[in-house]
């Protein structure tokens, strides 16, 4: 159907950070908003659209009068708030809970400061969009979605306007912007013609975005005069000053085609560019969620006041802006981002410490001998954890439970190079969203090593891990004579990567130019708790040290990796050949997972990926690979890979050419550390509890040395759990209005499940049916006489009381 009407969307895409630092970005925002207000005064028909609550907070701080004028324009319907999020983030890398907080902080700010909530999700410049976003959007009051990337040359869509459906069945109405998202006056006529040429069955109107952008600016007088001249000449199509919400209201949604799944790919290199910003985001997300869990528990159990974590969350959300999180900004911008993450980590760490200290010093721990160690588990299931604690070397390291049962322990390499400190390792079971205590006594433990280990192998009765003496390549299988290896020669692979920072036009890294060669292998830890083999390898001037650890009763191998990278325009992958046929590749995404072709393409993922396929004996098996800070992966047949790093020049954008005589800044030079885990399984990944193991790697148990005392809390307790393994409690936090706690849970396996969320210490018991991938949230009021209420992701009440 020919386009009869163009909704002219006056906007200014503003990158608060990109080829400039955030103070310059703040100036852009203020200048652009001042200009837009001027155009609104001059042209009665003009309508302006803008997003990102962070921008308006800057305005509120710098020029409250401007914010008041904007509020008046919003009220009259000529300044339109789109997005509803704190910033326009990368839409693959943030955790599911971070996307929730983008909306929670964004929408609540807009309600308070401007008296409105957004209804249109708005991420024109983000590089790709996770399949699970429709549910998050809908439950935050956003019923439609505007994006531009990937473009038609990168992803086929059923039309410019379509219904986007997530794996849970949630739907939003989407529109892919007709490139570009901003039209300067000199290209506006051509852009209008391009938009008018679009045809889609059942759709007779399109949106046409105009204005000066990236570094701000917004619609100019020339932009607006050009639109008025087009109208005065009565040329087709009709041009209408408008905003995205009005466009979506005018669509016949029933006539639109449906797109199911994610919106990918653009700039695939962004998921491996700049390791530090990505790991910093993961660490800050995890620390904040841990702090919230134990602050909630400490508040309920001890009356501890709730700390203000909003500044920390806002720092994390701001750093998730797509050009920051995507690794495409200036080096100076990443120094600023590190400061923001550091502040967030400091706020979260102080809150977490205050909470666990408050709980620990309230425990009833009579003086029966030994030094108590309190252990805290943030997850909604019991965790079997390896705990390591630095102690005074003179204190000994025999460990017992409160019931005086001996716990195997061993001394491991101390992180302090002195004779006065020692590091002790032991395994412990910690109740869900709760705590337990053990005691340390003087003297040497009497436990012997519980598994076989040497320089080239480790075996604990569940797993066998072997290293080739000549190459250092690893193999892994579950124990048992019939169990095949599901890892056959893991290796560090170096690939040529001549692409720019974004890797424009690149979909895979497969030009191998070398492999890390073995330098040394040796067993460095061996005892009743765990064994560790240290493997060092190198390529040119770069070095890779990996410490492979197998605990005596663990079903996975934990790997601590340290890379010292000294090369440019190369990529480093850790490749894990499984030898499985008919491989199915599954990737974790925000609040869900997706299955993608095992075709070698570079793909974004979060805490885990999995390869499952057929063994030579004809039965199903697989390997889950967990990580604590990487986001770029590929699966090619039966070989899975982590893209550890890329080393392009900072902020290099094709077609600009690199000058070898320039003092260029190169990405990911020097040392970086991360952890990953290898989790083999029979059958499918769900049987290996992959989601839980990945969460445990990312949010480990917290240990705290305390003292014997009389207190009001028992030495062991749980506060929250779920009776079904397919449902996880993902957040426990103070309600934004201060009246109670918010509990968020989600279905992790992609299967309909009825489950009970149990908070027995607080006399709360919630039964709910979760659809596949469904996220549900509840308010637990402080007053026990008040019923539990289901709420949306903005913490607005739904209709049902939960008892």
């Amino acid at each position: 159907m020919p386009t009869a009407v163009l909704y002219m969307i006056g906007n200014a895409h503003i990158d608060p950070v990109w080829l400039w630092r955030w103070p310059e970005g703040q100036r852009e925002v203020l200048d652009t908003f001042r200009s837009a207000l001027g155009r609104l005064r001059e042209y009665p028909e003009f309508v302006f659209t803008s997003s990102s609550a962070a921008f308006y907070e800057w305005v509120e701080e710098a020029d409250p009068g401007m914010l008041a004028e904007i509020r008046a324009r919003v009220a009259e319907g000529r300044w339109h708030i789109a997005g509803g999020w704190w910033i326009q983030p990368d839409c693959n890398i943030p955790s599911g809970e971070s996307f929730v907080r983008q909306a929670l902080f964004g929408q609540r700010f807009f309600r308070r400061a401007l008296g409105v909530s957004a209804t249109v999700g708005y991420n024109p410049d983000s590089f790709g969009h996770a399949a699970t976003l429709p549910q998050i959007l809908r439950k935050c009051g956003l019923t439609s979605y505007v994006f531009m990337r990937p473009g038609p040359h990168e992803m086929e869509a059923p039309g410019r306007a379509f219904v986007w459906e997530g794996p849970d069945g949630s739907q939003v109405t989407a529109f892919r912007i007709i490139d570009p998202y901003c039209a300067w006056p000199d290209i506006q006529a051509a852009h209008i013609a391009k938009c008018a040429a679009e045809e889609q069955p059942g759709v007779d109107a399109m949106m046409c975005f105009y204005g000066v952008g990236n570094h701000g600016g917004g619609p100019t007088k020339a932009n607006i005069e050009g639109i008025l001249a087009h109208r005065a000449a009565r040329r087709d199509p009709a041009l209408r000053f408008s905003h995205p919400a009005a466009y979506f209201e005018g669509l016949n949604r029933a006539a639109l085609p449906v797109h199911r799944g994610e919106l990918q790919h653009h700039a695939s290199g962004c998921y491996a560019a700049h390791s530090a910003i990505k790991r910093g985001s993961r660490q800050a997300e995890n620390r904040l969620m841990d702090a919230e869990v134990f602050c909630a528990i400490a508040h309920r159990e001890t009356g501890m006041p709730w700390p203000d974590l909003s500044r920390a969350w806002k720092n994390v959300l701001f750093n998730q802006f797509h050009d920051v999180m995507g690794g495409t900004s200036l080096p100076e911008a990443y120094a600023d981002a590190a400061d923001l993450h550091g502040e967030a980590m400091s706020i979260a760490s102080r809150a977490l410490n205050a909470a666990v200290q408050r709980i620990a010093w309230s425990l009833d721990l009579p003086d029966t001998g030994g030094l108590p160690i309190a252990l805290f588990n943030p997850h909604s299931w019991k965790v079997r954890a390896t705990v390591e604690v630095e102690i005074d070397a003179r204190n000994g390291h025999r460990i017992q439970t409160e019931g005086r049962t001996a716990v195997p322990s061993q001394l491991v390499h101390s992180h302090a190079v002195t004779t006065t400190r020692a590091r002790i390792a032991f395994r412990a079971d910690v109740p869900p969203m709760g705590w337990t205590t053990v005691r340390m006594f003087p003297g040497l433990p009497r436990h012997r090593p519980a598994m076989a280990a040497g320089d080239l192998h480790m075996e604990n009765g569940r797993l066998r891990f072997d290293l080739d003496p000549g190459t250092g390549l690893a193999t892994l299988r579950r124990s048992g004579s019939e169990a095949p290896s599901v890892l056959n020669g893991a290796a560090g692979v170096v690939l040529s990567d001549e692409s720019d920072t974004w890797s424009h036009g690149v979909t895979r890294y497969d030009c191998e130019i070398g492999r890390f060669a073995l330098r040394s292998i040796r067993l460095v830890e061996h005892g009743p708790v765990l064994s560790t083999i240290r493997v060092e390898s190198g390529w040119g001037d770069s070095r890779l040290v990996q410490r492979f650890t197998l605990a005596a009763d663990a079903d996975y191998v934990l790997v601590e990796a340290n890379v010292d990278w000294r090369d440019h325009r190369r990529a480093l992958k850790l490749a894990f050949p499984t030898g499985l046929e008919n491989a199915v590749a599954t990737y974790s995404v925000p609040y869900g997972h997706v299955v993608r072709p095992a075709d070698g393409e570079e793909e974004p993922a979060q805490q885990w990926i999995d390869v499952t396929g057929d063994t030579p004996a004809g039965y199903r098996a697989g390997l889950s690979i967990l990580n604590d800070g990487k986001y770029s992966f590929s699966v090619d047949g039966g070989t899975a890979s982590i893209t550890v790093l890329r080393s392009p020049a900072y902020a290099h954008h094709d077609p600009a050419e690199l000058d070898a005589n320039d003092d260029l800044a190169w990405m990911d030079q020097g040392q970086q550390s991360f952890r990953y885990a290898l989790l083999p399984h029979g059958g499918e990944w769900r049987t290996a509890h992959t989601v839980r193991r990945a969460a445990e790697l990312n949010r480990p148990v917290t240990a705290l040395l305390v003292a014997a005392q009389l207190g009001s809390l028992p030495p062991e307790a749980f506060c929250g759990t779920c009776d079904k393994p397919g449902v996880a409690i993902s957040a426990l936090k103070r309600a934004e209005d201060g009246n109670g706690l918010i509990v968020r849970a989600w279905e992790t396996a992609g299967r309909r499940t009825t489950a009970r969320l149990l908070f027995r210490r607080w006399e709360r018991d919630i039964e709910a049916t979760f659809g596949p991938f469904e996220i549900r949230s509840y308010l637990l009021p402080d007053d026990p006489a008040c019923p539990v209420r289901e709420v949306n992701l903005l913490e607005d009440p739904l209709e049902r009381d939960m008892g």
Side-chain angles (χ1 to χ4, degrees), residues 454-476:
D455 287 342
L456 300 175
H457 74 279
M458 298 182 291
E459 186 167 12
N460 68 356
R462 295 187 178 190
L463 300 179
R464 171 145 187 132
F465 176 83
D466 292 283
L467 292 162
D468 184 280
T471 63
L473 299 182
T475 58
L476 176 65

Side-chain angles (χ1 to χ4, degrees), residues 377-383 431-434 692 695-696 699-700 720 729:
N377 171 20
H379 304 291
S380 56
W381 57 87
K382 181 178 74 173
V383 169
M433 283 190 168
R692 288 186 171 187
E696 292 164 15
R699 298 171 62 190
I729 297 174

Side-chain angles (χ1 to χ4, degrees), residues 659-672:
D659 186 339
N661 295 318
D662 286 347
D663 291 325
L664 296 171
W666 299 95
M667 204 165 286
D668 271 9
Q669 300 299 294
Q671 293 193 29
Q672 63 166 282

Side-chain angles (χ1 to χ4, degrees), residues 131-136 138-139 163-172 253:
T132 47
L133 286 182
Q135 178 182 190
I136 295 172
R138 292 288 307 201
K139 291 184 175 179
V163 173
W164 183 21
E165 182 174 296
D168 70 305
S170 295
Q171 294 183 335
V172 293
R253 192 170 181 274

Side-chain angles (χ1 to χ4, degrees), residues 627-682:
N627 78 91
D628 74 348
K630 296 299 176 183
Y631 292 90
S632 196
F633 307 87
S634 61
V635 178
D636 192 356
T639 297
S641 297
I642 303 173
T643 306
V644 174
L645 58 82
R646 298 178 53 239
S647 50
Y650 275 88
H652 172 215
H653 196 306
D654 284 340
E657 295 184 0
L658 301 178
D659 186 339
N661 295 318
D662 286 347
D663 291 325
L664 296 171
W666 299 95
M667 204 165 286
D668 271 9
Q669 300 299 294
Q671 293 193 29
Q672 63 166 282
S673 298
F674 63 99
R675 298 188 305 160
Y676 66 93
L678 304 171
L679 176 63
H681 57 82

Side-chain angles (χ1 to χ4, degrees), residues 376-567:
F376 299 88
N377 171 20
H379 304 291
S380 56
W381 57 87
K382 181 178 74 173
V383 169
R384 177 72 171 164
T386 299
V387 180
E388 294 187 8
V389 179
E390 291 278 351
I391 59 170
D392 187 312
R394 297 165 294 183
N395 285 342
H397 62 283
R398 286 193 303 111
I399 302 294
Q400 295 182 0
T401 66
E402 283 295 308
R404 293 302 182 98
T405 299
V407 176
S409 63
Q410 73 184 77
L411 291 178
V412 294
H413 178 70
S414 174
H415 293 184
V417 188
T418 72
T419 59
T420 60
R421 297 287 287 176
R423 190 171 186 86
I424 183 174
F426 58 92
R427 297 276 283 174
D429 293 318
V430 191
M433 283 190 168
W435 63 85
T436 191
T437 54
V438 297
R439 301 212 185 199
M440 182 172 61
F441 293 86
L444 296 176
R446 292 183 287 271
H447 297 90
R448 296 180 178 179
M451 58 190 232
D455 287 342
L456 300 175
H457 74 279
M458 298 182 291
E459 186 167 12
N460 68 356
R462 295 187 178 190
L463 300 179
R464 171 145 187 132
F465 176 83
D466 292 283
L467 292 162
D468 184 280
T471 63
L473 299 182
T475 58
L476 176 65
R477 63 178 175 85
R478 292 180 297 131
S479 294
S481 59
E482 300 300 319
S485 172
V486 291
L487 176 60
N488 299 283
V493 182
V494 181
L495 304 117
S496 177
D497 177 15
E498 299 291 319
S499 60
D500 67 4
T501 310
W502 287 256
S503 287
H504 282 116
V506 174
T507 61
R508 66 190 71 221
Y509 305 105
D510 55 7
C511 182
E512 181 178 332
I513 59 174
R515 295 196 170 206
F516 274 67
L518 177 66
R519 291 179 178 172
S520 66
I521 303 178
R522 59 190 174 95
L523 182 71
V524 294
E525 307 286 0
H526 183 48
V529 179
L530 57 83
S531 295
T532 299
I533 300 175
R534 180 186 185 275
V535 179
E536 181 175 341
S537 57
W539 186 80
D541 293 329
S542 297
R543 185 180 73 145
L544 171 64
V545 175
Q546 298 186 88
R547 293 170 59 91
F548 296 89
T549 296
L550 181 61
D553 58 353
D555 55 1
Y556 60 89
V557 174
L558 175 65
V559 188
E560 295 174 288
N562 181 274
V563 180
D564 188 357
W565 185 251
R566 303 288 176 177
D567 216 324

